[in-house]
Amino acid sequence: VKSLQKLKEIYESSENWEKAIAIQNKIDLIQKTDSKQIISHLYTKLGDKYFSEQNLASAKKYYKKALAYFPNAADAHLKLGDLFFQAEQISEAIEEWRMITKIYPELSYTVYSRLEEAYYKIGAYSELEMLLRECVQSNPTDGYAKIALAKHLVKKGKTMDAIHELNDAISRDGKFIEARRELGYILLSEDMKDEVEKQYKELIDEVIASKRVFKCESCKHEISDMEWQCPSCLQWDTIKPVLVHS
């Protein structure tokens, strides 16, 4: 089994996803285990390969297969949504991305900008606001939902409401740099100079004090963006967002 595990890692590092899937199935057969979640990730990677080649039919086939193995696969829902959006199937794209907000609220930040673009593309502005308010209500600590809502409110001319949402996000997490930055943009556009100066001073202190990274729970490797497989130890589903203080 150890030899098979090593062989699977070689196939994964060389992006030979078909053979990696075959080896994982052999391992499961020998150990009498069920690695549906890992196999789902591998099928998603295979779909990515075809998507990058603009073979949308094959990409869709493997994303669907990934979801057949593990219906809650966030990466498959995310990429299938991207595929639908590129194919101008906007409603289907929205449905896939919304699944992530329901299944994995902590990963909702990966789809907010996508959802905004999709809803705006079909002119469903009120539906976007309703969705974002639902996300905020169901998870009040989700600062990224508040940022997305604030951006939308500014476009609708509700600047003070947007400022309120961002201030609430900052009050819950003073080290939430992204919320402070977005608030700064709004204050500058409204020529609120005294408030801009106050936020700037607080922002500088927080920038010096902290940064948000993604760390592998297995090997502690740090990366700058979310991945479902650690590029260092190759373990799946071990990457988590953390706030690092200097």
Side-chain angles (χ1 to χ4, degrees), residues 39-162:
I39 292 173
S40 174
H41 286 309
L42 295 172
Y43 273 120
T44 299
K45 287 291 189 181
L46 185 54
D48 289 345
K49 172 189 171 185
Y50 285 107
F51 196 9
S52 67
E53 297 168 357
Q54 290 301 294
N55 185 340
L56 301 189
S58 293
K60 181 180 177 180
K61 170 187 171 182
Y62 288 113
Y63 291 147
K64 291 281 191 180
K65 200 157 189 177
L67 291 169
Y69 268 86
F70 186 61
N72 289 351
D75 50 348
H77 283 297
L78 182 71
K79 298 302 181 65
L80 186 56
D82 290 346
L83 185 152
F84 281 136
F85 188 80
Q86 182 173 315
E88 297 292 331
Q89 295 175 262
I90 309 303
S91 296
E92 289 84 350
I94 289 172
E95 184 179 350
E96 294 300 327
W97 293 331
R98 286 198 64 169
M99 283 295 294
I100 296 176
T101 69
K102 296 174 183 176
I103 301 169
Y104 299 107
E106 70 276 13
L107 295 177
S108 294
Y109 71 91
T110 62
V111 297
Y112 287 140
S113 61
R114 288 172 162 92
L115 286 166
E116 179 184 22
E117 186 176 1
Y119 277 116
Y120 272 63
K121 194 174 182 70
I122 60 176
Y125 311 114
S126 59
E127 289 182 34
L128 172 62
E129 184 171 341
M130 188 182 305
L131 167 64
L132 293 173
R133 290 195 182 279
E134 286 175 4
C135 291
V136 169
Q137 186 174 3
S138 62
N139 186 12
T141 62
D142 184 359
Y144 290 100
K146 289 183 176 293
I147 289 177
L149 178 58
K151 288 180 177 179
H152 172 71
L153 290 171
V154 167
K155 290 178 181 177
K156 298 292 288 182
K158 301 177 181 178
T159 304
M160 296 311 296
D161 289 345

Side-chain angles (χ1 to χ4, degrees), residues 187-236:
L187 296 173
L188 283 170
S189 68
E190 294 297 310
D191 200 27
M192 300 171 70
K193 294 180 181 178
D194 291 341
E195 188 61 27
V196 168
E197 183 178 352
K198 174 179 175 290
Q199 288 295 328
Y200 178 76
K201 289 177 179 177
E202 292 179 3
L203 177 61
I204 291 300
D205 290 339
E206 298 301 342
V207 167
I208 294 171
S210 63
K211 64 175 180 177
R212 194 176 302 271
V213 299
F214 297 85
K215 182 180 287 188
C216 175
E217 291 181 330
S218 178
C219 70
K220 310 306 179 186
H221 180 71
E222 290 184 10
I223 56 178
S224 60
D225 203 359
M226 180 65 190
E227 295 286 347
W228 279 267
Q229 183 184 32
C230 175
S232 178
C233 69
L234 302 180
Q235 294 298 306
W236 291 95

Side-chain angles (χ1 to χ4, degrees), residues 1-45:
V1 172
K2 287 184 179 179
S3 297
L4 288 173
Q5 287 282 10
K6 192 66 180 175
L7 184 58
K8 183 174 81 78
E9 290 177 5
I10 292 170
Y11 285 141
E12 287 178 355
S13 62
S14 62
E15 300 186 358
N16 192 332
W17 306 113
E18 295 97 330
K19 289 188 176 180
I21 291 166
I23 296 297
Q24 184 62 60
N25 281 323
K26 283 184 180 179
I27 293 170
D28 285 346
L29 189 62
I30 294 169
Q31 294 186 324
K32 292 181 170 50
T33 52
D34 186 356
S35 303
K36 287 183 178 179
Q37 194 164 344
I38 292 175
I39 292 173
S40 174
H41 286 309
L42 295 172
Y43 273 120
T44 299
K45 287 291 189 181

